[in-house]
Amino acid sequence: MKDVQIESGWKEALKDEFEKPYFSNLREWIRDQYKTSIVYPPAKLIFNAFDSCPFDKVKVVILGQDPYHGPGQAHGLCFSVNEGVPFPPSLQNIFKEIADDLQKPIPKSGNLTHWANQGVLLLNATLTVQKDKAGSHQNKGWEEFTDAAIKILAEKKSNIVFLLWGSFAQKKESLIPPNKHLILKSAHPSPLSAYRGFLGNKHFSKTNEYLHSQGKEPIDW
């Protein structure tokens, strides 16, 4: 599928996926959804996680489930929101943990593009969602595509940090060879579960310690 608009390294890595029937079906279905309903993120940002974090630059992977489904929030990076948008509750807890772990002030913006630009792949399992309908685009093919991305990344590269927050993300552990990568797991940052092990997990300092031990530049969280 030569016309898939995605970062060149990812395009090469995922070229087999673009040729599979499920992906053709998914593309047709998604096109129809954008024509007939309000879908987030904007169509040009569907692959923003990949475009903002090229395949060759990935050092850390954070897995989310669905894009935000409110107006103006989602822009293709999991947990991230556009400039000027109030922080959703999970993002508030992420910033709270960074502040406690690294003694950094809470940022003014919830846009995490600067993480992606440093090699943090902010990947949702499902890359689109209908307005006000959480989970509305699950089980249409996106999960097969993003699972393939995780698997290829884990197989072709080494010494990546995978941050698996909550039971949904932890189901992806089977895609990752543990002897090649660092896998950090905890509760999800959602207010429903953050106090059961997300807050206090020190994943951000642990990530940077590991990157440093591998001779890689730590992330400026």
Side-chain angles (χ1 to χ4, degrees):
M1 294 242 178
K2 294 185 177 64
D3 60 336
V4 177
Q5 299 295 311
I6 194 170
E7 188 271 327
S8 59
W10 282 108
K11 192 166 193 172
E12 174 62 25
L14 293 167
K15 62 186 179 190
D16 291 347
E17 295 306 304
F18 298 135
E19 301 301 331
K20 291 180 180 175
Y22 87 85
F23 193 82
S24 299
N25 295 337
L26 173 64
R27 288 187 77 184
E28 289 306 312
W29 187 82
I30 290 294
R31 276 203 187 109
D32 187 57
Q33 291 299 303
Y34 274 94
K35 285 178 189 161
T36 58
S37 57
I38 298 173
V39 176
Y40 301 128
K44 68 180 187 295
L45 295 177
I46 289 174
F47 294 120
N48 193 23
F50 301 98
D51 295 335
S52 301
C53 185
F55 185 80
D56 291 340
K57 300 276 173 43
V58 180
K59 297 191 284 193
V60 181
V61 178
I62 298 177
L63 295 175
Q65 192 161 355
D66 263 327
Y68 295 121
H69 52 79
Q73 292 180 304
H75 64 120
L77 307 179
C78 73
F79 294 109
S80 179
V81 289
N82 281 305
E83 302 286 337
V85 174
F87 303 164
S90 289
L91 186 56
Q92 289 179 33
N93 283 329
I94 288 169
F95 286 152
K96 186 174 181 184
E97 176 55 26
I98 291 171
D100 291 345
D101 186 11
L102 301 174
Q103 285 72 58
K104 286 178 72 97
I106 302 285
K108 292 187 168 55
S109 169
N111 188 324
L112 305 180
T113 301
H114 63 292
W115 290 7
N117 292 341
Q118 296 176 76
V120 182
L121 180 66
L122 294 160
L123 184 63
N124 278 314
T126 302
L127 298 186
T128 55
V129 71
Q130 189 175 337
K131 181 188 178 195
D132 297 333
K133 292 188 178 178
S136 50
H137 287 189
Q138 290 176 4
N139 304 314
K140 302 295 184 185
W142 277 134
E143 294 91 341
E144 189 170 344
F145 178 74
T146 53
D147 278 2
I150 295 165
K151 200 170 181 180
I152 289 164
L153 194 60
E155 285 173 359
K156 293 198 173 183
K157 295 172 75 81
S158 54
N159 308 125
I160 290 174
V161 184
F162 287 87
L163 302 180
L164 307 182
W165 298 334
S167 59
F168 179 85
Q170 286 164 24
K171 287 177 186 153
K172 309 297 183 183
E173 187 175 5
S174 62
L175 304 171
I176 306 160
N179 56 333
K180 288 178 66 182
H181 305 283
L182 178 64
I183 298 171
L184 297 176
K185 298 184 286 186
S186 79
H188 193 276
S190 156
L192 301 173
S193 58
Y195 290 93
R196 297 204 298 267
F198 177 80
L199 296 172
N201 68 16
K202 301 207 176 300
H203 278 187
F204 301 97
S205 60
K206 287 175 182 174
T207 294
N208 280 351
E209 284 161 15
Y210 179 79
L211 292 175
H212 183 71
S213 76
Q214 300 300 321
K216 296 183 182 183
E217 191 70 28
I219 304 300
D220 178 7
W221 300 106

